[in-house]
Amino acid sequence: MAVVLQTSGSVRLTTGSGLDEIFDSAYEMDKQPGEVRADDPLFFRQDETEWLAIQYAESMGPGDFTEVQEDEEVPEATVRIGNRTVAEVFDYDRDISIPQRYQESSSHYGTVDSWVEQLGIRARTSRDKYAFRRSYGNPFSTDTATPDGVAPGSNSHTNLNGDTIDNLETGVLTPANLEVVVRSLRLQQAQDGDLASYHADGLLVPVILHPDATEITQSELKQGTGNNDLNYWSKIYPGLKVGSSEYLDSTYNTLNANANTTYCVLSRMHKVTRAVRVGIQREYVGPEIDRRRRAFYRARFSERTYVGTWGGLVWSNGTV
């Protein structure tokens, strides 16, 4: 009986050896300067779920403390939950088939490696694309409505106390207009009608605005002037994180008619949430179970991003 010796190449392609490392390297590739991804803990609150659908709601806190006299009964706070909402958790899957002749020839090393590398890249870009599409990509449409049924960026939100909340501005990104947006965030009311006490922690922009946003917030002196004026943003808000994503630019974001001029200032207390049911999984499946003797390298994940409420967010569409 003849014994067939496998080459190192065929062993590799029939066992999947080393493919996970190629996938992981592409999936975890270094970020572009200022790039925000779905796993960023400032711009997306990170959560986990075991359910196929997520139920969330807006919550009203206890309101401000009140003065009490000696031996007076302590006032009881009124807390509420309202606008319950359900969001489906989606599955994302992709397989690559590896033909038998590729498994038998080490000359196809590079081809299969390239396929797996591209799969790792696409797993990451798909995750980010869907995360932005359901949160920051179209903030002026009810397609991504907050639990009160209004677009995330709107001048007609209603909190659980019955107050009208306006978190939509229109000014283009300039130092003066950024002041307007940050002031709106700082003065924003909470669900109970009192001051929410939001701090400006992040500025999210499309890639086309990233250079301007960085110059405005990080220049030593006042941006765009020849005067020796202090730059308010770099001195008073040195920790303001500027982030950008390709999925906010009009090239990859056709949902927002003002994609290239829209920007958002947010507090770390916002409720834009990414809930992960199944983190990224990848595996090699051998050819033994396929009638056409194909092997498969496959990857999957399951998650959902949603805007839990309008609080801690102020948008400008940059049209004026």
Side-chain angles (χ1 to χ4, degrees):
M1 179 178 177
V3 177
V4 178
L5 298 177
Q6 291 180 311
T7 67
S8 60
S10 61
V11 168
R12 182 163 185 247
L13 294 185
T14 54
T15 64
S17 174
L19 296 182
D20 288 349
E21 288 79 1
I22 295 172
F23 179 95
D24 292 345
S25 178
Y27 183 76
E28 299 168 359
M29 188 179 296
D30 290 344
K31 295 180 181 180
Q32 299 276 4
E35 180 184 4
V36 173
R37 294 179 181 170
D39 57 358
D40 189 293
L42 172 59
F43 295 96
F44 294 92
R45 296 178 71 95
Q46 304 297 314
D47 198 4
E48 297 180 354
T49 182
E50 298 179 350
W51 303 96
L52 298 178
I54 303 167
Q55 185 181 84
Y56 57 99
E58 293 180 316
S59 176
M60 186 177 82
D64 280 345
F65 283 55
T66 56
E67 296 180 0
V68 295
Q69 303 299 319
E70 186 176 354
D71 294 329
E72 183 180 356
E73 184 176 327
V74 176
E76 183 176 346
T78 299
V79 293
R80 287 179 54 196
I81 292 178
N83 299 327
R84 293 186 184 275
T85 306
V86 176
E88 181 181 358
V89 180
F90 297 107
D91 293 333
Y92 302 92
D93 298 85
R94 208 68 166 170
D95 287 359
I96 294 175
S97 63
I98 306 174
Q100 183 177 27
R101 63 177 183 169
Y102 280 37
Q103 300 165 47
E104 296 172 341
S105 173
S106 60
S107 65
H108 290 291
Y109 249 29
T111 301
V112 176
D113 288 358
S114 177
W115 288 346
V116 172
E117 181 181 50
Q118 289 298 316
L119 186 68
I121 293 173
R122 282 291 165 259
R124 170 171 47 79
T125 59
S126 299
R127 176 201 67 185
D128 295 346
K129 176 174 70 175
Y130 290 114
F132 278 98
R133 178 171 293 179
R134 293 191 171 92
S135 54
Y136 297 105
N138 193 18
F140 314 122
S141 169
T142 54
D143 291 342
T144 53
T146 53
D148 64 352
V150 181
S154 172
N155 52 23
S156 59
H157 287 289
T158 302
N159 67 10
L160 295 179
N161 191 55
D163 306 299
T164 299
I165 307 297
D166 181 357
N167 71 336
L168 172 60
E169 302 295 340
T170 59
V172 299
L173 182 58
T174 64
N177 286 333
L178 184 58
E179 289 180 26
V180 173
V181 175
V182 170
R183 182 165 61 248
S184 177
L185 179 66
R186 290 188 60 180
L187 298 178
Q188 193 176 91
Q189 289 175 285
Q191 294 285 354
D192 57 19
D194 291 316
L195 178 68
S197 189
Y198 291 129
H199 297 177
D201 297 306
L203 170 60
L204 185 62
V205 299
V207 172
I208 195 171
L209 289 183
H210 187 256
D212 291 339
T214 303
E215 290 174 5
I216 290 171
T217 59
Q218 298 180 19
S219 295
E220 184 68 20
L221 302 177
K222 193 170 184 179
Q223 186 260 354
T225 72
N227 301 322
N228 189 27
D229 293 340
L230 177 146
N231 183 3
Y232 175 80
W233 298 108
S234 62
K235 299 298 182 183
I236 307 302
Y237 284 89
L240 182 67
K241 181 177 178 179
V242 178
S244 65
S245 170
E246 295 89 344
Y247 292 111
L248 295 178
D249 287 72
S250 62
T251 303
Y252 296 102
N253 180 13
T254 59
L255 302 174
N256 179 6
N258 301 307
N260 284 346
T261 59
T262 296
Y263 56 99
C264 176
V265 173
L266 54 88
S267 163
R268 66 180 62 255
M269 296 171 64
H270 69 79
K271 300 297 182 183
V272 178
T273 304
R274 171 182 175 245
V276 178
R277 188 176 72 86
V278 178
I280 190 68
Q281 294 181 342
R282 71 280 188 279
E283 63 178 336
Y284 173 84
V285 179
E288 299 83 6
I289 62 174
D290 185 65
R291 290 291 298 264
R292 295 162 62 183
R293 294 191 179 278
R294 296 170 302 173
F296 293 89
Y297 193 84
R298 53 182 43 168
R300 67 182 290 257
F301 60 95
S302 178
E303 61 184 53
R304 175 62 186 266
T305 302
Y306 59 91
V307 185
T309 187
W310 42 263
L313 301 163
V314 177
W315 267 279
S316 176
N317 59 27
T319 59
V320 178

